[in-house]
Amino acid sequence: MTSSQPAETRTRGRSAQTATLAEIAREAGVSAPTVSKVLNGRADVAPATRSRVEELLRAHGYRRRRAEAARSPLIDLVFHELESAWAMEVIRGVENVARDAGLSVVLSESAGRLTPGRTWADQVAARRPHGVVLVLSGLDESGRALLTSRSIPFVVMDPAGDPGTDVPSVGATNWQGGLAATRHLVELGHTRIGAISGPSRMMCSRARIDGYRAALETGGLPVDPGLVMAGDFHHETGYRQGLALLRRPDRPTAVFAGNDLQALGLYEAARELGLRIPEDLSVVGFDDLPVARWVGPPLTTVRQPLTEMAETAARLVLDLGKGEDPAAAATRVELATSLVVRSSTGAPPAGG
């Protein structure tokens, strides 16, 4: 006896764990090998067919059984931009964990986009790595569904926005770091303290500037919007916005530069204008990159434990791949930041 119930209703009523490739193939009107090609990221599938199969995989919540998902000995590491010493610290951390696990690291860049494109997702599906670590990036709904259906775990490090409660992430205490940096300057006696932020679309940047504002307010100082310059975490912007701040007739005597690269750009602007650090201008950065110890004068900065953050993200993605801790799928880890005082900060100039 056969049921009169349509195939689509029957399969959608089943649990995500019992939906089979054959059922999905039947709904899509294709063969099971075609569905398998889509799962494996093969290129020889028509775009319309691929989209139809992907939609059904998402609708069913299909998740490949780990026994089916033979993995390559790889971790995919994805940056939205790959061009600074900051990225090198992250690569070092992921490499440390991958090396211990006998894995290699594949680097990708999303050309400044905070969400990698579909081509990248298909390539990852074809590679079948042990996991994916996304840095200052995220995944849209289709990208998440694609990796989930292939049983490829992913973790977001230093997420640009709110990754959601169901996405494991690793970050740092950015608000506390911005607070500590600015409070240090307030305690030195500075009353006009500027700031160069990072991109407003990034959660870490907004948190640092919120900490800056909180330190001024708790120190009884006004927040002057004219002293807060928009930045993008690049050296050139630190230089350009630094010149704008330091050319003001009521220039600040101290600046929280938002990150170390912008602080180095600010150094260049100060030298060009004949200002000495820290005698005429105090500067605080954020990150504590290796170069912060070697510039002249050595930079006071907030240490963000980038290597440790990357190691934590890599370990978490490998643990998720092993299925050792299902609760880790909703893990959000924040590592502590700390102020590192060096020679770029001091008391404000007399009469400043």
Side-chain angles (χ1 to χ4, degrees), residues 16-53:
Q17 296 301 318
T18 58
T20 67
L21 289 186
E23 290 170 328
I24 291 170
R26 186 163 57 249
E27 276 196 58
V30 299
S31 66
T34 298
V35 177
S36 181
K37 286 181 180 180
V38 173
L39 276 171
N40 291 322
R42 292 271 297 275
D44 53 338
V45 179
T49 301
R50 181 185 300 277
S51 296
R52 187 163 69 252
V53 172

Side-chain angles (χ1 to χ4, degrees), residues 147-329:
L147 295 188
T148 299
S149 67
R150 278 71 169 177
S151 292
I152 300 173
F154 56 90
V155 172
V156 180
M157 178 185 153
D158 213 2
D162 184 357
T165 57
D166 59 339
V167 176
S169 64
V170 177
T173 55
N174 288 288
W175 183 89
Q176 185 63 42
L179 178 79
T182 311
R183 180 176 288 165
H184 170 64
L185 296 171
V186 171
E187 290 174 348
L188 287 171
H190 294 275
T191 58
R192 288 191 59 73
I193 303 171
I196 304 174
S197 73
S200 60
R201 61 180 178 165
M202 291 185 180
M203 188 164 60
C204 63
S205 171
R206 298 195 301 271
R208 292 173 197 179
I209 291 299
D210 285 346
Y212 156 85
R213 293 191 180 101
L216 293 180
E217 291 168 354
T218 57
L221 298 175
V223 178
D224 183 349
L227 295 182
V228 180
M229 310 297 286
D232 60 6
F233 288 157
H234 291 119
H235 175 277
E236 295 80 4
T237 303
Y239 167 73
R240 186 177 65 253
Q241 298 292 50
L243 285 177
L245 276 174
L246 300 180
R247 281 174 173 160
R248 293 174 60 106
D250 56 348
R251 69 170 181 83
T253 60
V255 176
F256 169 43
N259 78 334
D260 288 352
L261 294 180
Q262 291 183 155
L264 298 181
L266 181 60
Y267 269 43
E268 187 177 345
R271 282 194 296 270
E272 186 171 309
L273 297 176
L275 298 175
R276 300 166 299 164
I277 299 173
E279 291 84 359
D280 302 313
L281 176 71
S282 287
V283 178
V284 181
F286 200 111
D287 284 334
D288 195 25
L289 299 177
V291 68
R293 298 189 293 273
W294 307 116
V295 294
L299 178 66
T300 294
T301 187
V302 176
R303 182 176 186 272
Q304 180 174 212
L306 292 170
T307 301
E308 292 90 334
M309 290 164 62
E311 290 173 344
T312 300
R315 290 192 190 100
L316 179 55
V317 83
L318 293 182
D319 287 345
L320 289 169
K322 296 172 185 173
E324 293 180 355
D325 182 9

